Amino acid sequence: MIGLLKRDLALAIRAGGGFGLSLAFFLIFTALVPFGVGPETGRLSEMAAGLLWLGALLACLLSLDRIFQLDWEDGTLDLLATSPLPLESVAALKALAHWLTTGLPLVAAAPVLGILLNLPGAAYPWLIASLFVGTPALSIIGTFGAALTVGIKRGGLLLSLLVLPLYVPTLLFGALAATRGAQGLDATTPLALTAGITLGAAALLPFAAAAALRVNLR
Amino acid sequence: MSSIWEYANPRRFMATSGALLPWISAIAAICLVVGLVWGFFFTPNDFRQGSTVKIIYVHVPSAIMAVNAWLMMLVASLIWVVRRHHVSALAAKAAAPVGMVFTLIALFTGAVWGQPMWGTWWEWDPRLTSFLILFLFYLGFMALWEAIENPDQAADLTAVLCLVGSVFAVISRYALVFWNQGLHQGATLSLDAEQNIADVFWYPLITVMAGFGFLFLALVLYRTRTEIRARRVKALIAQERMA
């Protein structure tokens, strides 16, 4: 299991592509926001927390189809399916690797990008905490979506269509925690609910993802 | 003879549904015509909302059926996953576009009703938003069916999507209440209430509701029969090729 995780991490970092690209996308998204809504700092700081969450979500979404696609194409997935490691663990590990290479850098980058959008000072701890707690859910739900569409050629758009409605509760609670933090209110309830979604998704979705993978490998 | 699983046999399903379909369609047509004419022309206007209150005869039944269609797909998907009856998977496939159209009707009539009453076509209210999300779920379900060529594989994957989607749809529904309080009124109709709304409105409304229910049943049976026939044709063509 550790070996598979190490392999995925090494591939993500060395093979180029996913690792830096989603960070760059996050940066570009944040840089484009003022062009869309105007540069007034007051309005920007009001929306900053929600926009950063949205940017992180979209950056996460972009890298989803790489989770299984390469392994599917070169047959690694077939080997993994026949290995003694249960497919559920494979799915969970893939989600973990995706989070470590995509979600965690986004969490680290968010405060820097918060400066660009004039995020109020009180919001930083809440933004980081909510992203840290919420992005694993995005990776896990995304892994499920990627497992569903792995057999489809050019399934990227379909993957987005399937995954985005599933992202609604995570985005809602996560952004709510960050926004409440920005307004100086207590944000522990939405933060706890975000964590609840992450834990629930981590407990259940690897099984759904493994079921989908089995169907696709049949 | 008494088991419902008899209808997992496509031949039996075709025979029974073929015999029932004209009756169900006729009941749906009668209920809809009677209920809608009654509701539109023979009920008084609401003293505050005027004649716009009559949208209720389309809005409420379509919204109820939009949710129930997803429930029916969930049950059909579960039956497919557990017992692998093809008719069940095809029924889930057949119900999706019908449910999507009901969702669209509910959203559209709601907008038309909301404009004069709330002064806005759209409001990010929990009920409205969760219907929009339900619409997206229908779209995703149908798109996944279309994208996969092998029908068994498509049935399996859409069933998994339907199960997971249902869980997330319920979570979203209650998450949205946290997010925004909204304008839409709470539940007005409930089974255990003595009287839900005044009888003059209630009788035509329940007639239309029955009409929408039978309409849904008729459309789903009709579409399922079409799917079964399409699959038979495919099998025949494959046989011809082999011979």
Side-chain angles (χ1 to χ4, degrees):
Chain A
M1 284 176 80
I2 305 292
L4 179 62
L5 186 62
K6 272 187 186 158
R7 168 189 170 274
D8 275 356
L9 290 181
L11 270 179
I13 292 164
R14 286 180 205 152
F19 187 56
L21 273 182
S22 50
L23 261 183
F25 175 85
F26 195 23
L27 172 67
I28 292 173
F29 175 86
T30 318
L32 284 180
V33 164
F35 300 126
V37 301
E40 298 105 284
T41 45
R43 201 197 299 168
L44 275 181
S45 70
E46 224 172 76
M47 298 192 300
L51 283 171
L52 287 172
W53 247 97
L54 199 57
L57 184 147
L58 291 177
C60 203
L61 186 72
L62 272 185
S63 53
L64 286 181
D65 59 341
R66 302 180 65 100
I67 295 181
F68 290 118
Q69 200 61 46
L70 296 174
D71 286 352
W72 163 265
E73 277 163 10
D74 64 10
T76 315
L77 211 52
D78 296 280
L79 283 180
L80 285 175
T82 49
S83 76
L85 194 62
L87 215 47
E88 283 81 0
S89 321
V90 173
L93 279 174
K94 288 277 180 187
L96 181 62
H98 179 261
W99 182 68
L100 287 175
T101 54
T102 309
L104 207 54
L106 292 178
V107 178
V112 183
L113 298 177
I115 298 172
L116 283 181
L117 293 184
N118 201 24
L119 187 73
Y124 283 94
W126 291 112
L127 178 73
I128 297 168
S130 66
L131 278 174
F132 186 78
V133 169
T135 42
L138 301 183
S139 289
I140 299 161
I141 297 169
T143 307
F144 166 66
L148 274 183
T149 54
V150 67
I152 302 168
K153 284 196 188 84
R154 289 185 292 280
L157 262 180
L158 179 65
L159 175 62
S160 315
L161 179 64
L162 297 182
V163 163
L164 278 178
L166 299 177
Y167 274 172
V168 169
T170 321
L171 172 66
L172 198 152
F173 285 133
L176 196 63
T179 315
R180 278 202 187 170
Q183 293 162 346
L185 302 168
D186 179 46
T188 41
T189 311
L191 193 65
L193 286 166
T194 318
I197 288 175
T198 298
L199 293 175
L204 297 176
L205 279 183
F207 292 95
L213 280 180
R214 283 202 189 93
V215 174
N216 272 320
L217 288 169
R218 195 159 58 198
Chain B
M1 285 303 281
S2 56
S3 166
I4 192 170
W5 304 118
E6 298 271 320
Y7 299 107
N9 178 345
R11 187 183 277 276
R12 284 201 75 95
F13 175 84
M14 289 300 267
T16 314
S17 64
L20 284 178
L21 196 52
W23 294 99
I24 294 173
S25 315
I27 295 174
I30 292 169
C31 283
L32 281 177
V33 170
V34 169
L36 286 177
V37 170
W38 187 0
F40 284 160
F41 298 110
F42 299 103
T43 56
N45 289 340
D46 186 82
F47 83 101
R48 217 181 293 146
Q49 301 197 24
S51 58
T52 57
V53 74
K54 291 178 177 178
I55 295 177
I56 196 177
Y57 301 113
V58 183
H59 181 68
V60 171
S62 59
I64 289 177
M65 286 322 293
V67 175
N68 281 322
W70 185 271
L71 272 182
M72 180 244 143
M73 280 159 59
L74 172 64
V75 173
S77 301
L78 263 178
I79 293 175
W80 160 254
V81 168
V82 175
R83 301 192 60 140
R84 310 205 72 74
H85 296 322
H86 284 85
V87 175
S88 179
L90 290 179
K93 181 188 182 187
V98 185
M100 190 198 76
V101 171
F102 279 136
T103 316
L104 209 55
I105 293 174
L107 283 172
F108 178 76
T109 53
V112 171
W113 199 358
Q115 210 284 325
M117 288 304 109
W118 298 340
T120 171
W121 295 100
W122 180 258
E123 173 75 27
W124 290 99
D125 162 283
R127 277 174 194 249
L128 274 64
T129 315
S130 49
F131 254 68
L132 191 62
I133 296 168
L134 181 65
F135 180 69
L136 295 178
F137 273 121
Y138 276 122
L139 277 188
F141 185 89
M142 284 157 58
L144 190 60
W145 254 110
E146 291 304 315
I148 302 168
E149 277 179 22
N150 181 337
D152 277 6
Q153 220 168 341
D156 274 326
L157 292 177
T158 50
V160 175
L161 177 69
C162 186
L163 300 184
V164 173
S166 306
V167 175
F168 275 87
V170 172
I171 295 176
S172 306
R173 175 71 187 85
Y174 291 99
L176 285 164
V177 179
F178 255 85
W179 171 67
N180 197 348
Q181 285 311 312
L183 283 171
H184 199 292
Q185 59 180 330
T188 306
L189 310 178
S190 61
L191 288 175
D192 53 353
E194 191 93 337
Q195 186 186 27
N196 289 305
I197 49 177
D199 280 348
V200 262
F201 301 114
W202 174 241
Y203 292 124
L205 180 58
I206 201 160
T207 316
V208 184
M209 271 162 34
F212 266 76
F214 279 109
L215 176 68
F216 173 73
L217 198 60
L219 287 175
V220 169
L221 283 180
Y222 196 78
R223 291 181 56 86
T224 313
R225 287 166 62 80
T226 313
E227 293 283 348
I228 292 174
R229 289 213 175 99
R231 196 169 280 195
R232 280 182 181 166
V233 169
K234 231 184 236 171
L236 280 179
I237 292 173
Q239 269 178 15
E240 287 285 315
R241 283 224 186 96
M242 298 277 274

